[in-house]
Amino acid sequence: LSLATYFRNDPGWSHMGQSGPVVNSGGFIGAWVADILFVLAGYLAWLVPLVLALRGWIIVRHPLEVVDIPPPQRWLRRGAWVVLVLAGCALLSIHFTVPKSGMAGMAETLQEVLPETAGGIIGRELGQLSLAAFNLIGSTLLLLALLLAAIRVVTDVSWLRVAETTGQWTLALVDWLRQSFEDRRQRVVVEREAEVLVEKREAAFREHQAKVENRKPPEIAEPPPPPKPSVRVQKEKQRNLFETEV
């Protein structure tokens, strides 16, 4: 909370500050603590509360593991913490410190909040020594190697496992994107076929409707008159041979 509400004009270790109420939520002591951390480590000062919170969580959840750590391993981790802080501060000072040249942007705005460079006094001094000895590229590679090695010792995380997990996630993401693209393509093809089928049915219906509308109505003709009796038929008509009396 003291780091989040740090105000540059509050009284602190690096300066006296202006007269008036302290803006920092931690009061006078919080302003001093935040000023010391920002002056020494810059942005890496945020690592302090994270480390304390992580350490407290480990002690509460796994108290036996903390007790069972052998002294050599304990001192190795402490040394790794020191290397992590030094390398991180130097990298921040080299790559995230904006020169005083009127350069506009968010980096310069953030730097104006800090009393020192992005890596603090530690990062400024180590960064200058590293640049003088190894130049920019050499300093960056060396400090990154030290930083990654320190993180490996502190967190006990295998970078090979991290690379393998990252590769698995990348392949899974690629497969998911490929499958999503294929599903979308299939869906587009099906929708297009359905649209073509609907268009064909509508065209057939319109054609049938046009035929029905253009069809002539049926004409009902009058039946022909009955034929006249033939004279020959009347003459050749068979008559009764015998006449019977009733």
Side-chain angles (χ1 to χ4, degrees):
L1 186 61
S2 299
L3 295 176
T5 58
Y6 172 76
F7 185 58
R8 193 168 182 176
N9 293 329
D10 284 342
W13 174 68
S14 61
H15 59 279
M16 293 301 296
Q18 299 177 355
S19 60
V22 178
V23 179
N24 197 297
S25 298
F28 183 79
I29 298 178
W32 266 72
V33 172
D35 185 69
I36 292 173
L37 292 178
F38 279 132
V39 167
L40 293 179
Y43 293 131
L44 213 64
W46 291 99
L47 188 64
V48 174
L50 294 178
V51 170
L52 293 178
L54 179 62
R55 185 65 178 174
W57 182 80
I58 293 175
I59 292 175
V60 172
R61 295 297 300 271
H62 308 284
L64 297 179
E65 294 183 4
V66 177
V67 176
D68 294 339
I69 296 177
Q73 185 177 357
R74 188 174 303 175
W75 281 105
L76 179 62
R77 288 190 175 182
R78 290 174 182 175
W81 276 114
V82 174
V83 173
L84 189 150
V85 172
L86 296 178
C89 290
L91 284 173
L92 287 174
S93 179
I94 292 174
H95 293 282
F96 293 95
T97 298
V98 180
K100 302 296 184 178
S101 58
M103 212 175 146
M106 186 177 64
E108 186 179 10
T109 304
L110 291 175
Q111 183 176 321
E112 291 178 354
V113 179
L114 301 179
E116 280 291 336
T117 62
I121 297 177
I122 298 175
R124 183 185 64 190
E125 298 300 327
L126 289 179
Q128 291 177 356
L129 292 175
S130 178
L131 290 175
F134 302 103
N135 210 335
L136 180 60
I137 298 178
S139 300
T140 303
L141 294 177
L142 176 62
L143 293 173
L144 277 177
L146 292 175
L147 182 67
L148 294 178
I151 293 175
R152 169 67 179 90
V153 175
V154 168
T155 60
D156 200 19
V157 174
S158 174
W159 290 114
L160 294 177
R161 185 178 301 174
V162 171
E164 182 179 357
T165 305
T166 305
Q168 291 178 355
W169 289 354
T170 304
L171 293 177
L173 178 61
V174 171
D175 292 339
W176 178 78
L177 292 175
R178 184 183 304 165
Q179 187 64 34
S180 300
F181 178 77
E182 185 66 22
D183 294 342
R184 179 177 178 81
R185 191 181 66 83
Q186 292 291 341
R187 187 165 57 250
V188 171
V189 171
V190 172
E191 292 177 355
R192 182 57 183 168
E193 292 177 353
E195 291 177 359
V196 172
L197 183 60
V198 171
E199 291 176 358
K200 289 182 178 180
R201 289 182 178 179
E202 290 179 352
F205 176 75
R206 288 194 297 266
E207 184 179 356
H208 174 72
Q209 190 175 8
K211 289 182 179 180
V212 171
E213 292 177 354
N214 297 330
R215 184 183 301 169
K216 294 182 180 180
E219 297 180 356
I220 302 176
E222 296 180 359
K228 295 180 180 181
S230 174
V231 178
R232 182 180 176 182
V233 173
Q234 292 297 330
K235 286 182 180 183
E236 294 179 355
K237 186 176 182 181
Q238 187 177 3
R239 296 181 180 180
N240 295 330
L241 297 177
F242 304 97
E243 293 181 359
T244 58
E245 294 180 358
V246 178

